[in-house]
Every structure is written in C-alpha cells, then in structure tokens.
Amino acid sequence: MNIIAIDIGTSNCKAIITGMDLKVFKTFEYATQPITPKQGWNEQNAATIFKEVVKMLQQSINFCGEENIACVSLSAAMHSLLAVDKNGAPLMNMLTWADLRSARYAQALEKKNLAKKLYAATGVPVHAMSPLCKLMWLKNEQPAIFRRAHKFISIKEYIFFKLFNKYIVDHSIAAATGLLDAKNICWYSDALKLAGITEKKLSELKPIEHYETVLLPSIKNTLQLNRAIPFVLGASDGALANLGSGIVNANNVAITVGTSGAVRITSNKYVTDKKQRLFCYYISDGLYITGGALNNGGIALQWLVEKILKEAFRNESRLEALFKAAAGIKPGSEGLIFLPYILGERAPVWDENAKGCFIGLTETHTEAHIIRAVLEGVCYAVADVLQALEENSNDIKHIYLSGGIIKSGVWIQLLADVSGKKIMLNETADASALGAAFIGLKALGKVKSIGDAKMFLQNVKTVKPSAANHRIYQKYFAVYRSLYGRLKDVFSELSALP
C-alpha cells in the first residue's frame, strides 16, 4: 500500500508517493506563481492551486492504482488568508505570509500595548504575516469583501472544502493564525474581537490526524475513484518539516536555509519568549513547535548575484567561484557587516520596515568581501534566532541543517564558525511532505505517537566549528545584534518617505 503526501508551498507544490515504510519512490511537482503587482503585495490564485493539486492527485492515483492507496495526507504553508462567499468561491486572491499590506495594523497593536497579550495567548508574534493582522486590514481597507465573506480560510481549508464541502482546519494551521488560544486549543475570543469576526466566520477545529473519506461526487468522478480513501488533514509545512526530519524533542534543533530560513525545535512545553522573538505553535499529542522564521536566507545571496553582480544565480560553476572567493577573505570580512533584511524580517525582530544594509564599507573592500559579508550576514541572522531559542530552552544539543545551504561547504563552515556548534547535515528530501506521510500513518493507527518520527533523524556528515574563527565571530556577532536596535527608527523613517 502507498501513501500520497501533498505539500502546498508558496514557491511550489509537490506530491510524493511513499510505501508504508515511508520510503519515497515517486514525486510530482509544479512551481507556483506569486502575484506581486506592487511592493509588499504577495498573492496567489487559490483556484489555480486547487487545479494543480487535483492534477497531482490524478497523476499519483494513476501511478499507484487506487487499490494500492492507503491514504492521502496534506501539508501546507502557514499564514495564508482567503475570503470566500456562501458558495465557497474566492472573493479575492489568497494573501500569503509574505504580503505586508497589514503592517500598519500590526504596528498599531504594538503601540496600543496589545501585542504582548496576544503573543502570550496565541504564541504568534504580531506581524503582517499573521492572518489576524490581515483580517484587520481587510476589514478597514476592503470592507466590501469583508462584509460579503462567508468564511475566512487558508489554502488548505479551501482545498478541503472543494473536495468535501466542509470547512475544517487542523490545529497546526490554526495555531499560526494569531486567532487560536494556544493553551486551550480553541479560538481566542479577544483576537476574534480585534479581527471583527466570530467563530462562525472560521472553520471547525480538528486534530491533524483527522480524515475525511466522502469526496464530492464531481471530485470522485474527476479522480476516477471507486472506493473511499482517507484524506488526512495533516499540518503546517513547518511542523511537518520538523517531523519529516526526525526533530521530535527539544534536544535537537532543525535549521533550514533555503530561499528563506527557519530555526525550530519540537517541545512538550508551551515556550514563549519575554522579548517576543519566537513563535510557538501547537501540533498534536501535547507537542509544540517553537522557533523563528527568517525572510532572508538564500534570497539575500540571489539578490547580490542577480541585482548587483548582474549574473545568473542558477549558474552553479559561477556560484562555486563566488564561494571560493569568499573563502579567501578573513572571518568578519575585515570589518564589513551585512544586515540581511532586504525583505524586512520576521524572527527575531518581527519588523516589516527592517532594511538590508552594509555597515563598515570602505575603499579596501572588494567583491569577495561583499560576498562573504552577505554569507556571514545570513549566518548571523540564523544564530540570532538560535540564541533566542537557547535562552528559552537549555536542552539544545544537536543542530541538523538542511536546505539549499548544504550545497556549499563554505557556507556550512561559516554557520558552524558563527554559531560555534557542530553542524550535522540532514539531507532528508521533501521533509514537509514526508512529515505529512508520517501523519497519514498515524491517522491509520500504524504508529502510536509523533515521537516515532525520530526514525527520520539522520546525520550524513558532521562539520565542526573552528574555535579560532568562532572567537572572532563572537565579537562581530555582538556588533551585529546591536545594529537593529540602533537602526530601527531609521528604517521606520525611510519606510515613511515617498
């Protein structure tokens, strides 16, 4: 028997087919296209994504044969928001986590001293990514859509509605909305009041293992299915990436650096940070995922290569040459520090107005210095979140690294030197989809607990830090950490200029 796991991301959607041993033997995927007509806007067409999900289901079912399918399980990106009418038709394009139009509503909550209370109750830092802030923006700036909306949902909820004509949301996706009471696992009334809605405007809460089997007749016909197959709700891509990498306790931290980045642990404690630097989202079985997401990972290097150096980012031989040039520069780039907030930033500063900048630039700095400074800047950003995690969870012992960064030995070594920790490479492919497949097994009763996901933990290679380089980086990191506080008001002033 096979499991079909579908991961709905903001850059691409993917379907993997595994056996009951969770070994992947087939993948289907397609790239999603963001709609970005203006700076700060980031939308997607929900109907188009649903069509592609149906295509991947058709491909997967045809590949497996329906008699060989044990279940379908889903993963999806967090923080999306879609308003639909009474028929379930979208009234707008879906807003992704990267849409920043609600920034001033997030900032207003900060000024009214409501952010701390909201964070303590929901585990979600107040930021434009949050559906809570998006709802406040929609209510005030798109009132016609807000009034017409029958439901406010995420992309995964939209897909389940199109499949089953039911509005249901798993605890994990709901936990990232800023609307869920993270301790009692119910909708949080104070947040609903701020958003101007009641529970009736939201989906029914369900565990991540919940599944449905009665597809709409039209969908069943489209997929050419003759028998009932469980469709498991699954969870958020971040939570499932931890499970799919085997990170199931607070001793291990998963660090992913791709286009963006993330630093996450799995814990049986509801861990919040006094400085509101970290998120804490419920998963299941009394477990939470705690950490921080970064806007600026590999995208910072891509910006430098494409916009400044005017070269192709996908040219692997050229990239290798750039990494080699950077490796020839001393740690600290001879006094040059890059603050990598070119897309604003989420953790640990949660500031949509944050800007990227070079500090310490002199006539002695070359292209190689600038490249190394950008690589170091991303490592500083990761270490900044890691340090916040360590301040709140003293149990972290091992770092497992994944994402595009693992293609560069130079960049991996920089992260080890900056953090001062051994880096274990985790090459688990499609971790979020694999985590979804695991939840499929749990829904079917084939595994007892989320802790069984430790089967995925792997260490392909260990990279040790240089003690001498780490001592140098400690001094630079101290300067890096002070920069945002010094420049925060400047960033705000720049954002207000025409």
Side-chain angles (χ1 to χ4, degrees):
M1 297 294 283
N2 304 136
I3 295 174
I4 299 171
I6 295 180
D7 179 35
I8 306 154
T10 51
S11 298
N12 62 73
C13 289
K14 184 176 296 183
I16 66 169
I17 299 173
T18 78
M20 299 300 280
D21 59 358
L22 300 183
K23 300 296 184 184
V24 180
F25 54 86
K26 185 64 178 179
T27 301
F28 300 101
E29 64 182 303
Y30 86 98
T32 56
Q33 297 298 321
I35 302 168
T36 56
K38 296 181 181 179
Q39 184 175 354
W41 294 35
N42 199 292
E43 305 174 345
Q44 289 183 320
N45 187 299
T48 299
I49 292 174
F50 175 70
K51 289 178 182 177
E52 296 300 332
V53 168
V54 170
K55 286 182 183 178
M56 290 192 298
L57 282 170
Q58 289 174 317
Q59 290 173 313
S60 300
I61 292 167
N62 289 338
F63 180 86
C64 297
E66 70 167 297
E67 69 279 3
N68 297 316
I69 300 171
C71 69
V72 177
S73 187
L74 271 67
S75 161
M78 293 175 274
H79 314 303
S80 60
L81 181 70
L82 180 67
V84 295
D85 65 16
K86 291 183 178 180
N87 297 315
L91 297 171
M92 55 188 282
N93 281 329
M94 180 189 76
L95 306 182
T96 77
W97 67 264
D99 194 281
L100 300 179
R101 279 172 281 180
S102 64
R104 70 187 185 96
Y105 295 94
Q107 292 155 13
L109 291 172
E110 289 277 1
K111 292 176 182 177
K112 293 178 181 178
N113 295 317
L114 292 172
K116 186 175 182 180
K117 177 184 177 182
L118 287 166
Y119 172 69
T122 68
V124 183
V126 171
H127 184 269
M129 69 170 191
S130 167
L132 165 61
C133 297
K134 290 180 171 74
L135 282 168
M136 294 174 68
W137 170 82
L138 199 65
K139 178 178 65 174
N140 288 280
E141 301 193 27
Q142 298 288 333
I145 291 176
F146 189 84
R147 286 193 300 268
R148 285 185 60 198
H150 175 63
K151 293 282 185 180
F152 298 105
I153 58 177
S154 70
I155 185 61
K156 185 139 70 80
E157 292 161 75
Y158 176 72
I159 288 169
F160 260 82
F161 174 79
K162 296 285 286 183
L163 294 175
F164 297 100
N165 198 36
K166 291 184 178 181
Y167 288 110
I168 53 178
V169 60
D170 68 83
H171 291 154
S172 173
I173 288 291
T177 62
L179 300 167
L180 188 79
D181 181 326
K183 294 180 181 178
N184 298 306
I185 319 301
C186 61
W187 294 120
Y188 180 46
S189 59
D190 287 0
L192 299 185
K193 289 176 184 176
L194 286 169
I197 62 172
T198 66
E199 290 186 21
K200 292 181 180 179
K201 293 289 185 180
L202 301 174
S203 296
E204 182 181 358
L205 294 165
K206 295 287 186 182
I208 63 175
E209 302 89 353
H210 176 83
Y211 60 83
E212 298 285 337
T213 59
V214 185
L215 288 163
L216 289 173
S218 59
I219 296 296
K220 193 172 183 180
N221 182 60
T222 298
L223 297 178
Q224 297 183 338
L225 290 174
N226 296 308
R227 70 181 188 90
I229 293 174
F231 277 67
V232 182
L233 268 180
S236 70
D237 56 356
L240 292 174
N242 263 34
L243 299 186
S245 300
I247 308 298
V248 295
N249 58 50
N251 297 126
N252 299 322
V253 60
I255 296 179
T256 303
V257 182
T259 302
S260 55
V263 183
R264 301 179 297 258
I265 61 170
T266 305
S267 173
N268 60 1
K269 299 176 183 178
Y270 179 59
V271 179
T272 54
D273 174 51
K274 291 181 180 180
K275 298 179 182 178
Q276 302 173 54
R277 294 168 295 178
L278 306 171
F279 59 66
C280 188
Y281 303 146
Y282 184 70
I283 311 174
S284 181
D285 289 354
L287 295 178
Y288 294 82
I289 178 172
T290 301
L294 306 169
N295 285 0
N296 306 279
I299 193 68
L301 179 62
Q302 184 175 350
W303 162 81
L304 177 66
V305 172
E306 293 182 346
K307 300 292 180 66
I308 307 302
L309 302 183
K310 305 294 184 182
E311 298 184 32
F313 185 63
R314 303 301 176 189
N315 186 329
E316 292 188 11
S317 60
R318 180 58 182 143
L319 275 179
E320 187 59 36
L322 295 178
F323 283 122
K324 185 176 181 180
I329 303 300
K330 295 178 181 178
S333 301
E334 298 190 54
L336 183 61
I337 293 178
F338 178 62
L339 202 61
Y341 300 158
I342 60 173
L343 293 179
E345 189 54 289
R346 287 180 285 173
V349 301
W350 302 98
D351 186 354
E352 302 87 352
N353 291 330
K355 302 286 188 290
C357 55
F358 288 96
I359 304 294
L361 193 62
T362 70
E363 63 179 352
T364 62
H365 290 119
T366 65
E367 178 182 288
H369 287 89
I370 291 172
I371 295 166
R372 184 173 182 115
V374 168
L375 299 178
E376 289 175 338
V378 173
C379 292
Y380 293 144
V382 171
D384 208 4
V385 179
L386 180 60
Q387 184 162 315
L389 256 182
E390 289 187 296
E391 289 173 16
N392 289 277
S393 177
N394 298 321
D395 299 326
I396 296 174
K397 296 178 181 177
H398 303 110
I399 291 176
Y400 289 84
L401 181 66
S402 62
I405 188 174
I406 67 174
K407 296 179 181 179
S408 169
V410 171
W411 210 351
I412 297 169
Q413 188 64 57
L414 287 181
L415 182 57
D417 292 348
V418 168
S419 67
K421 297 183 181 296
K422 289 191 295 185
I423 303 291
M424 283 159 278
L425 303 187
N426 191 330
E427 295 183 340
T428 300
D430 310 320
S432 294
L434 199 57
F438 173 80
I439 295 301
L441 274 188
K442 190 169 185 293
L444 296 174
K446 302 298 183 182
V447 295
K448 292 182 179 180
S449 73
I450 282 180
D452 291 333
K454 62 187 177 183
M455 69 176 79
F456 297 125
L457 195 65
Q458 58 175 269
N459 179 20
V460 178
K461 179 182 177 183
T462 299
V463 177
K464 297 180 180 179
S466 160
N469 288 350
H470 179 59
R471 285 193 292 271
I472 295 171
Y473 278 127
Q474 282 180 303
K475 298 175 182 179
Y476 277 99
F477 183 51
V479 176
Y480 171 90
R481 294 195 79 201
S482 74
L483 288 176
Y484 172 75
R486 299 182 192 184
L487 295 170
K488 180 179 179 180
D489 291 342
V490 174
F491 294 151
S492 182
E493 291 171 17
L494 286 173
S495 296
L497 294 176

